[in-house]
Amino acid sequence: MSDAQGIGANLRRVRRDLGWSLADVERNSEGSFTAVVVGSYERGDRNITAVRMLELAGLYGLTPAQVLDAAASATTAIAPVGEDAVTLDLERLRLLAAGEEAWRDVDRFASSVIARRGDFNGAWLSVREEDIQTLAAARSSSSAQMLAELVDAGIVRLD
């Protein structure tokens, strides 16, 4: 198996663990990733660049390392929320995302966590410290800065 095929197999495993179809990836990325291109990454027919890997990992709500190591991402996806968890107000987040581009990536991230966990029943979402780290990395900021932004926007309540 080539490196591209191995990475592709992990990408497919992670996408399926989220319960997403290729069409879901295209829709959730607002067309940034087409189903055809993601399918070609997954088959190993096309190499994925580091930049696109970062973008796809962010869409999936994971770190690039978790995407590359599908076993680690599966473990992370089902790990219980720890004491360092924060709770996101999904209604507030969706309201902000509807009006401000800056919050749309956070809303997409929250949606991916909900889909991965199969937790579609509430107005609140508990996220782990590593989820905040992933959001921070996507915005090129620190976890502390990301958490402060979430608190200032009224999106987060500390548990």
Side-chain angles (χ1 to χ4, degrees):
M1 181 181 288
S2 73
D3 288 340
Q5 289 171 323
I7 291 169
N10 285 349
L11 290 171
R12 180 179 295 113
R13 202 170 301 121
V14 169
R15 177 181 54 79
R16 288 181 176 168
D17 286 348
L18 290 170
W20 287 9
S21 67
L22 289 170
D24 291 331
V25 175
E26 186 168 340
R27 184 176 44 258
N28 290 331
S29 73
E30 297 178 350
S32 176
F33 287 96
T34 65
V36 171
V37 169
V38 174
S40 67
Y41 291 151
E42 291 180 358
R43 288 187 306 277
D45 295 340
R46 180 183 224 165
N47 289 323
I48 188 168
T49 66
V51 170
R52 294 298 276 169
M53 173 64 79
L54 286 169
E55 293 170 353
L56 190 56
L59 178 68
Y60 290 165
L62 302 170
T63 65
Q66 290 170 316
V67 173
L68 291 172
D69 180 7
S73 67
T75 302
T76 301
I78 61 171
V81 175
E83 293 179 18
D84 294 329
V86 295
T87 304
L88 301 181
D89 179 344
L90 297 174
E91 292 174 12
R92 172 78 176 147
L93 176 57
R94 288 186 184 115
L95 179 68
L96 287 173
E100 298 178 44
E101 179 73 31
W103 292 108
R104 291 186 187 136
D105 59 337
V106 178
D107 187 44
R108 283 190 300 270
F109 175 81
S111 295
S112 72
V113 171
I114 290 166
R116 187 174 63 228
R117 293 182 189 167
D119 178 18
F120 301 98
N121 61 355
W124 297 91
L125 175 67
S126 294
V127 293
R128 302 168 196 70
E129 181 179 346
E130 63 194 21
D131 296 327
I132 300 298
Q133 291 169 347
T134 300
L135 280 171
R139 288 188 167 202
S140 300
S141 69
S142 70
S143 295
Q145 289 171 322
M146 185 73 240
L147 186 57
E149 282 183 49
L150 292 167
V151 170
D152 290 344
I155 296 169
V156 71
R157 145 185 112 192
L158 297 174
D159 285 343

